Amino acid sequence: MRPPTPDNDDEYLLEYFAQGQRVIRDLREAQAAMRRVEGVARSKDGLIEAAAVGEGEPTRLRIDPRALRLEEAALAREVTAVLRAAQDEAARKAQEIADEAEGAATLPQPLDETFVRGRVEQVARDLLG
């Protein structure tokens, strides 16, 4: 975006506003995409499978009946490991979306009092000169 000049302030402000709207739209889309994220993991033998959403909440757990042959403690370790792996996968995917959105969410520098003062001084010079 070109820096504003007195001749294009109106165009600059319109583009500034439009860019802000695009950033907000993109952030909302990223937020929606993060809600759809799902991480899935399986045990090495494929007998246990779990899924979790981006916030870490487990959404699915499948335990093949053959896995029930394991000792209780071993089964608990396997289920816990698979659930954590699914949560980690979901968190990684959500973080990728967040990082991409953060990189794209850039606005031009805000218009501060220096900008306004410069425009007022320019108008005063034009009127007096």
Side-chain angles (χ1 to χ4, degrees):
M1 213 163 106
R2 294 180 328 195
T5 64
D7 295 334
N8 75 349
D9 281 346
D10 56 342
E11 294 170 18
Y12 181 83
L13 291 174
L14 287 172
E15 177 56 28
Y16 190 93
F17 181 70
Q19 191 169 352
Q21 287 180 313
R22 286 191 297 272
V23 167
I24 290 169
R25 182 198 63 228
D26 292 347
L27 290 173
R28 285 182 178 151
E29 288 174 5
Q31 188 178 37
M34 289 172 69
R35 284 192 296 268
R36 292 187 302 269
V37 164
E38 181 180 67
V40 177
R42 289 172 192 79
S43 61
K44 291 177 185 171
D45 58 12
L47 298 178
I48 302 169
E49 178 179 293
V53 294
E55 294 98 19
E57 181 181 336
T59 57
R60 189 173 66 246
L61 177 62
R62 183 192 60 77
I63 301 174
D64 186 295
R66 293 175 290 172
L68 300 176
R69 295 180 188 147
L70 294 171
E71 295 179 7
E72 184 178 330
L75 179 60
R77 280 192 303 275
E78 280 293 310
V79 168
T80 300
V82 172
L83 282 169
R84 281 193 184 135
Q87 291 169 324
D88 290 347
E89 175 69 8
R92 184 191 61 73
K93 289 178 179 181
Q95 188 62 52
E96 285 176 3
I97 294 168
D99 291 345
E100 185 177 318
E102 182 181 8
T106 56
L107 289 172
Q109 291 292 5
L111 302 177
D112 60 8
E113 77 273 358
T114 306
F115 170 80
V116 175
R117 184 180 305 121
R119 290 303 186 266
V120 170
E121 290 171 358
Q122 179 67 44
V123 169
R125 284 192 299 273
D126 291 348
L127 288 173
L128 299 174

